């Protein structure tokens, strides 16, 4: 290479593209070049007398073969101070910036870039402002260098030696920690004053950043407590152990977690999150406050089932056998499960294993009818895992969706916890007592269940703790409830409602004989050879010691009998098989009977009628009592009656007054007497319109002196014109009447269609009288029909309008 000479811009310059670097005039910088075109440029420089090349920065450092559009618009003409070939085929080149230039055009790109450049004319005039800018830049630069540890003395001396503000700005910009765009902007600024001002701003900003850093470090150091010092010491101990070749327990645990992640069958989203969290855990160390939280999160991800395992579909006939063996009756539920399995099997055969979305059933019925145990039977019949979650009294939405991991002690919600417990992606999941969900300031759990119980959404269920979509579409959800009215409408709309009525006496006998008695014998260490409870004894227990829709109380009474026999066996006073058959046998274990046929006793006097009511625990009978006393036509209602039932009582009295002649009731009675209607069990609230016929029958019975039949129970809403309107819950009411020994049911004509839902054995033992008017009710309920009074006996009175 020849000695330096004046720069001529007539010919194109060899162009060297740089990655993330800018050469300023006056700066000397080394580079290593190894790309094919830059190597060709270096060989050209070695074989020529031209000492200058053009240097421009690349816009994108990842571009391997840059063209004109890939280079910034401003660069430097630099003198090649040194050039030496390395062993690995690359070249070490030392460049000294000479002049600012603008890129005009790239003339050639082979074998290296040749470009024409235009010089930028720099202002040479100096004034007081430029001198002041130079002094300020030197002062701020001196302060910045003092804040940087290990700054070479030569660098400080060079800053002090440069007199020109423009040259000082170029030198400082060369070593300043600034972005490529900021440095290119300084290179493109030909005016020395403006360049010095921009450089001063960048150096000042950098100085302030370092000052804030030092303040933060000092503050953190002051606040370093015992825990932090222990952490530092432990990190030092870990480093010492690694130097000695000792592997810590923590490293082993992390390696185990990594192995589990690789072996686990995770969804793509879960695998990505697990690997990211493991990497984060390795970086933070065992003593970090977040380490335990991250490790716990990873354990939850790895313990959950993510991918459905292939399983053969059970035979429908076998499933029917299991359901019939575990539960007597409940045909609707069994039929729905068999339908689901049949469809799933056919679709699986047609679509080569395509999953079928599970049904979302809601079993509504009184306590003790087997709703929860039916879920277990469904799981056993289908060969699936069984999970039960009780939702009674749940007020916090987080119990469904989980807590966010920012909270201490955060956990997933009950749904994800249940899936972990099941260990399967397709269990039978029972949501017990869904009608008893609450809501308060912590959220509405029933709203959180909307996503869980929607087949179109639960394929990507979002738990706040996991924050990973989880597939619940293969789960068979079975919700249970005592009443459907308290279930929010949107939630109810997502479920298939199946109502389960109470059991008949025959069904209870069968269940007790087949399930309850063997279960209690096993739990009390007894055998069938030691105790024999006959059907007669069980029927006595059903009729006189229990009065319920389900069988829980019946099971408790059978358990009491078995315990009594167990005491005799333990004392040695029982020889052979103890037979429980007669009423005296049952009384010796259970005490006096709790229930008797009180209907006949209650209706011995006029003014008492037997009605039917629906309750959340099944149907029941109720008595309506009416009495009169001297007064002026006042009506008193007691028994904790609701507004609707009070209105029914007023309507009944109005009907009687309007039809007094036809019913044979003296009109003067209403001017001389007060009426009092009472519905016993006063501590229990009562409401609804279906007691209308019962209230009217009791009042007519009182005023005519004709008793209501003791074997009759009735239900129906009345109008002022004497019509009988339909009611709800007929099935539960009829079963309650059957349990109470009623023989005749008086019900609205428009409820005749509901007769099909009543078990055949009950229909055979009851007489149904379907009515549409009150005179039909009185004819069927009273011992004899009321005799009408002669029209001439009293002047006619207009019928009161409603």
């Amino acid at each position: 290479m020849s000695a330096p000479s004046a720069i001529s811009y007539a010919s194109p310059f060899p162009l060297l593209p740089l990655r993330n670097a800018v050469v300023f005039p006056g700066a000397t910088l080394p580079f290593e070049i190894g790309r094919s075109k830059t190597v060709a440029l270096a060989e050209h420089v070695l074989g020529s007398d031209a000492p200058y090349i053009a240097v421009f920065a690349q816009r994108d450092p990842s571009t391997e073969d840059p063209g004109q559009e890939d280079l910034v618009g401003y660069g430097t003409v630099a003198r090649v101070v040194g050039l030496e070939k390395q062993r690995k085929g690359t070249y070490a080149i030392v460049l000294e910036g000479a002049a600012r230039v603008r890129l005009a055009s790239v003339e050639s790109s082979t074998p290296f870039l040749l470009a024409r450049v235009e010089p930028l004319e720099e202002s040479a005039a100096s004034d007081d402002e430029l001198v002041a800018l130079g002094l300020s830049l030197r002062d701020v630069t001196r302060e910045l260098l003092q804040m940087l540890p290990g700054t070479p003395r030569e660098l400080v001396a060079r800053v002090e030696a440069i007199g020109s503000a423009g040259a000082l700005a170029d030198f400082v910009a060369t070593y300043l920690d600034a972005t490529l765009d900021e440095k290119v902007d300084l290179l493109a600024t030909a005016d020395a004053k403006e360049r010095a001002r921009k450089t001063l701003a960048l150096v000042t900003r950098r100085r302030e950043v370092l000052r804030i850093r030092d303040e933060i470090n000092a503050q953190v150091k002051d606040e370093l407590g015992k825990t932090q010092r222990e952490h530092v010491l432990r990190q030092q101990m870990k480093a010492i152990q690694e130097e000695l070749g000792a592997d810590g327990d923590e490293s082993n645990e992390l390696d185990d977690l990594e192995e589990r992640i690789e072996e686990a069958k995770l969804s793509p989203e879960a695998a990505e999150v697990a690997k990211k969290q493991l990497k984060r855990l390795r970086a933070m160390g065992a003593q970090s406050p977040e380490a335990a939280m991250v490790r716990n999160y990873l354990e939850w991800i790895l313990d959950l089932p993510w991918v459905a395992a292939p399983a053969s579909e059970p035979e429908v006939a076998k499933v029917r056998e299991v359901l019939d063996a575990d539960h007597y009756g409940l045909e609707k539920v069994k039929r729905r499960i068999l339908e689901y399995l049949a469809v799933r099997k056919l679709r699986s055969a047609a679509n080569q294993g395509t999953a079928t979305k599970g049904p979302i059933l809601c079993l509504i019925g009184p306590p003790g009818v087997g709703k929860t145990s039916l879920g277990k039977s469904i799981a056993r019949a289908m060969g699936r895992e069984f999970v039960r979650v009780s939702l009674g009294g749940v007020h916090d939405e987080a119990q469904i969706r989980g807590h966010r991991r920012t909270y201490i002690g955060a956990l997933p919600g009950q749904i994800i916890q249940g899936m972990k417990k099941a260990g399967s992606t397709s269990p039978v999941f029972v949501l017990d007592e869904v009608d008893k969900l609450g809501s308060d300031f912590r959220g509405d759990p029933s709203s959180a269940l909307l996503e869980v119980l929607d087949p179109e959404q639960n394929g990507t269920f979002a738990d706040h703790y996991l924050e990973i979509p989880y597939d619940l579409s293969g789960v068979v959800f079975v919700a249970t409830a005592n009443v459907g009215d308290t279930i929010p409408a949107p939630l109810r709309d997502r479920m298939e409602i199946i109502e389960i009525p109470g059991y008949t006496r025959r069904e209870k006998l069968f269940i007790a004989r087949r399930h309850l008695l063997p279960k209690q014998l096993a739990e009390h260490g007894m055998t069938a050879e030691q105790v024999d409870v006959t059907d007669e004894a069980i029927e006595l227990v059903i009729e006189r010691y229990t009065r319920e829709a389900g069988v829980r109380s019946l099971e408790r009474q059978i358990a009491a009998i078995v315990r009594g026999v167990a005491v005799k066996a333990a004392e040695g006073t029982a020889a052979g098989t103890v037979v429980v058959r007669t009423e005296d046998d049952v009384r010796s274990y259970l005490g006096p009977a709790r229930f008797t046929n009180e209907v006949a006793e209650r209706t011995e006097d006029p003014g008492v009628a037997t009605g039917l009511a629906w309750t959340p625990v099944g149907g029941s009978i109720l008595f309506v009592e009416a009495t009169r006393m001297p007064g002026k036509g006042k009506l008193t209602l007691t028994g904790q009656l609701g507004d609707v039932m009070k209105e029914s009582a007023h309507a009944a009295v109005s009907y009687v007054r309007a039809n007094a002649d036809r019913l044979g009731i003296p009109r003067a009675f209403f001017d001389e007497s007060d009426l009092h209607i009472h519905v016993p069990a006063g501590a229990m609230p009562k409401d609804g319109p279906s007691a209308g016929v019962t209230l009217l029958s009791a009042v007519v019975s009182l005023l005519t002196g004709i008793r209501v039949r003791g074997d009759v129970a009735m239900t129906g809403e009345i109008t002022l014109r004497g019509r009988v309107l339909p009611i709800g819950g007929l099935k539960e009411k009829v079963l309650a009447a059957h349990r109470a020994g009623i023989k005749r049911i008086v019900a609205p004509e428009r409820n005749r269609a509901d007769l099909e839902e009543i078990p055949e054995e009950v229909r055979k033992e009851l007489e149904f009288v379907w009515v549409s008017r009150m005179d039909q009710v009185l004819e069927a309920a009273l011992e004899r029909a009321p005799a009408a009074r002669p029209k001439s006996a009293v002047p006619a009175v207009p019928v009161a309008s409603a």
Side-chain angles (χ1 to χ4, degrees):
M1 290 179 293
S2 61
S5 59
I7 303 174
S8 172
Y9 296 97
S11 301
F13 287 85
L15 189 150
L16 176 66
L18 297 179
R19 292 185 172 109
N20 296 323
V22 174
V23 178
F24 285 89
T28 302
L29 297 172
F31 298 97
E32 184 176 358
I33 55 179
R35 287 183 282 186
S36 58
K37 289 187 178 182
T38 55
V39 168
L41 182 148
E43 293 173 350
H44 168 76
V45 171
L46 282 174
S48 68
D49 294 334
Y52 292 102
I53 63 173
V55 182
F56 285 83
Q58 295 181 199
R59 298 181 187 275
D60 184 359
S62 63
T63 304
E64 286 295 324
D65 187 13
Q68 181 173 350
E69 67 278 1
D70 299 314
L71 302 173
V72 299
Y74 295 89
T76 310
V77 170
R79 186 169 67 89
V80 179
V81 178
L83 182 62
E84 182 179 353
K85 188 174 183 178
Q86 307 293 316
R87 289 183 179 180
K88 51 186 179 180
T90 60
Y91 281 87
I93 187 170
V94 181
L95 300 175
E96 180 184 8
R100 284 179 167 77
V101 293
R102 180 189 298 107
L103 180 62
S105 62
V106 174
E107 298 293 320
S108 175
S109 60
T110 56
F112 51 82
L113 296 175
L114 276 175
R116 289 190 179 275
V117 298
E118 300 173 353
L120 295 180
E121 296 298 332
E122 299 191 39
S123 60
S126 176
D127 55 17
D128 293 342
E129 183 181 0
L130 182 60
V131 173
L133 284 171
L135 292 174
S136 297
L137 179 59
R138 182 176 287 105
D139 292 340
V140 176
T141 303
R142 189 186 303 116
E143 293 178 12
L144 177 63
L145 293 176
Q146 290 174 354
M147 298 173 71
L148 294 173
T151 302
R153 292 182 179 179
E154 307 84 57
L155 190 62
V156 178
R158 184 74 182 274
V159 170
E160 298 292 345
I162 298 175
S164 168
L168 179 61
D170 287 339
F171 180 78
V172 172
T174 300
Y175 300 98
L176 183 63
D177 185 9
T179 65
L180 179 65
D181 291 339
E182 290 171 337
K183 289 192 174 184
V184 171
D185 180 53
L186 292 176
L187 187 62
T189 304
D191 183 71
K193 189 183 298 183
E194 182 65 21
R195 188 165 69 250
R197 186 178 290 109
K198 290 182 178 180
T199 306
L200 178 61
L202 291 174
V203 175
T204 303
R205 187 183 68 185
R206 182 62 180 167
R207 182 194 63 181
E208 292 304 314
V209 170
L210 293 179
R211 180 177 296 169
I212 294 172
R213 182 203 65 181
D214 293 342
E215 291 176 358
I216 293 174
N217 289 341
Q219 183 180 3
V220 171
K221 186 175 180 180
D222 292 340
E223 294 177 355
L224 187 66
K226 181 179 180 182
T227 303
Q228 286 79 4
R229 288 197 298 272
E230 289 180 355
H231 174 66
V232 172
L233 292 174
R234 289 183 186 278
Q235 292 297 106
Q236 293 175 350
M237 289 175 61
K238 178 182 175 182
I240 294 172
Q241 288 177 348
E242 289 177 353
E243 288 293 326
L244 295 175
D247 294 330
D249 294 338
E250 179 192 355
S251 179
N252 293 335
E253 288 181 10
L254 297 181
D255 291 341
D256 291 342
L257 282 175
E258 184 175 11
E259 184 177 350
R260 288 178 62 188
I261 292 173
E262 295 298 330
E263 295 177 354
K265 296 178 180 179
L266 304 178
S267 67
E269 297 90 347
E272 181 181 353
V273 172
K275 290 176 181 178
K276 181 178 179 181
Q277 292 295 326
L278 180 62
K279 182 179 179 181
R280 182 181 171 208
L281 183 61
R282 286 187 184 278
M284 66 177 58
Q287 300 304 316
S288 171
E290 292 187 36
M293 184 187 72
V294 175
R295 186 179 285 107
N296 191 41
Y297 178 55
L298 283 172
E299 292 286 351
W300 269 102
I301 293 177
L302 294 173
D303 289 344
L304 281 171
W306 291 91
V307 181
S312 60
E313 299 297 333
E315 294 295 330
V316 176
K318 185 177 180 181
V319 173
R320 185 190 296 272
E321 277 184 30
V322 174
L323 293 176
D324 288 340
D326 288 351
H327 286 82
Y328 183 75
L330 306 179
E331 295 302 327
K332 279 189 178 181
V333 188
K334 295 178 183 177
R335 183 169 63 250
R336 183 62 186 89
I337 295 300
L338 295 175
E339 289 171 354
Y340 162 68
L341 291 177
V343 172
R344 181 183 175 92
K345 189 168 185 177
L346 292 175
R347 287 191 58 181
S348 179
N351 301 333
Q352 290 78 39
T354 301
T356 305
K357 293 178 181 178
I360 299 175
L361 307 179
C362 181
L363 310 180
I364 297 180
V369 295
K371 299 184 295 295
T372 305
S373 61
L374 185 62
K376 293 182 181 179
S377 296
I378 293 172
R380 191 166 77 89
M382 297 176 66
R384 299 192 181 195
E385 298 296 327
F386 173 77
V387 181
R388 173 186 169 273
V389 171
S390 179
L391 300 179
V394 172
H395 287 74
D396 192 352
E397 178 192 357
Q399 294 194 40
I400 305 297
R401 287 190 176 275
H403 298 81
R404 299 193 183 277
R405 296 196 305 278
T406 52
Y407 297 104
I408 296 176
L411 285 173
Q414 296 274 20
I415 303 300
I416 295 298
Q417 291 186 37
M419 297 303 293
K420 176 186 175 183
K421 179 181 177 183
S424 167
T425 58
S426 55
V428 174
F429 206 119
V430 172
L431 302 171
D432 226 354
E433 312 293 351
V434 73
D435 57 325
K436 298 175 180 62
L437 283 169
S439 62
D440 56 17
F441 64 93
R442 291 168 290 186
D444 185 0
S446 63
S447 297
L449 279 178
L450 295 179
E451 181 183 4
V452 177
L453 299 181
D454 191 335
E456 300 302 324
Q457 301 182 41
N458 62 12
T460 54
F461 173 67
D463 184 273
H464 289 162
Y465 181 84
L466 284 184
E467 294 182 337
I468 305 172
Y470 192 85
D471 188 1
L472 297 174
S473 60
V475 180
V476 176
F477 284 104
V478 180
T480 71
N482 294 132
V483 292
D485 297 341
T486 56
I487 302 175
L491 183 60
R492 185 185 175 101
D493 183 60
R494 282 165 169 78
M495 300 184 292
E496 186 174 340
I497 305 297
I498 299 178
E499 295 187 355
I500 302 178
Y503 293 116
T504 64
R505 283 199 296 265
R506 182 171 175 271
E507 288 173 336
K508 288 183 179 181
L509 175 61
F510 188 90
I511 293 171
R513 173 61 61 193
R514 186 172 176 178
H515 299 285
L516 304 184
L517 184 57
K519 176 184 175 182
Q520 293 303 322
L521 289 175
E523 289 185 358
H524 292 86
M526 303 289 288
T527 63
E529 288 74 23
Q530 292 175 289
V531 56
D532 177 18
V533 182
T534 65
D535 290 351
E536 293 82 359
I538 294 176
E539 288 179 348
L540 281 170
V541 174
I542 292 171
E543 293 178 3
R544 301 191 181 182
Y545 291 87
T546 65
R547 189 157 288 179
E548 57 178 347
V551 292
R552 283 183 183 162
S553 181
L554 175 60
E555 184 176 11
R556 286 193 290 268
Q557 300 301 331
I558 291 175
I561 293 175
V562 175
R563 287 196 301 270
V565 177
V567 171
K568 291 183 178 180
E571 293 176 346
T573 58
T577 303
V578 176
V579 179
V580 182
R581 177 183 293 112
T582 66
E583 183 176 350
D584 291 337
D585 295 336
V586 174
R587 187 186 298 113
S588 65
Y589 295 107
L590 302 181
R594 295 176 55 196
F595 302 100
T596 59
N597 187 1
E598 59 179 339
V599 177
E601 297 177 6
R602 291 287 191 95
T603 56
E604 285 181 351
D605 300 320
V608 181
T610 306
L612 297 173
W614 180 93
T615 69
V617 295
S620 67
I621 63 171
L622 57 82
F623 297 98
V624 175
E625 299 177 347
T627 188
R628 70 184 194 181
M629 62 217 72
K632 296 183 179 180
K634 179 183 176 183
L635 176 62
T636 302
L637 302 173
T638 57
Q640 204 171 160
L641 308 185
D643 291 340
V644 176
M645 198 166 180
K646 289 179 179 179
E647 291 171 0
S648 296
H650 283 285
V653 172
S654 296
Y655 175 83
V656 172
R657 295 183 65 179
N659 296 273
D661 288 342
R662 232 165 22 90
L663 298 174
I665 300 172
R667 289 184 178 275
F669 163 78
F670 297 101
D671 298 327
E672 302 172 354
S673 302
D674 290 342
L675 278 182
H676 184 168
I677 299 176
H678 176 67
V679 184
M684 184 181 300
K686 310 167 193 71
D687 204 0
S690 65
V693 295
T694 312
L695 291 162
L696 194 147
S697 298
V699 173
V700 172
S701 172
L702 171 69
L703 299 181
T704 60
I706 304 173
R707 293 185 303 181
V708 177
R709 290 179 49 165
D711 60 349
V712 171
M714 62 198 80
T715 181
E717 181 181 355
I718 62 169
T719 70
L720 288 176
R721 302 301 179 183
R723 294 193 175 276
V724 180
L725 303 182
I727 45 82
L730 181 66
K731 185 176 182 180
E732 289 77 11
K733 294 176 179 179
V734 170
L735 292 177
H738 183 254
R739 288 193 296 268
I742 297 295
K743 299 301 181 183
R744 176 182 286 186
I745 302 293
V746 179
E749 173 68 33
R750 289 165 63 181
N751 282 107
R752 187 189 289 266
D754 298 334
L755 189 62
E756 294 182 2
E757 297 183 2
I758 299 170
E760 184 177 357
E761 61 178 282
V762 175
R763 296 202 304 263
K764 289 180 178 179
E765 296 182 16
L766 294 176
E767 176 191 359
F768 290 88
V769 179
W770 305 104
V771 297
S772 58
R773 297 192 59 84
M774 267 312 302
D775 52 1
Q776 295 173 320
V777 175
L778 297 176
E779 182 179 349
L782 300 181
E783 291 183 346
R784 58 183 175 82
R789 288 174 57 82
K791 291 186 178 181
S792 59
V794 292
V797 177
V799 177
S801 61

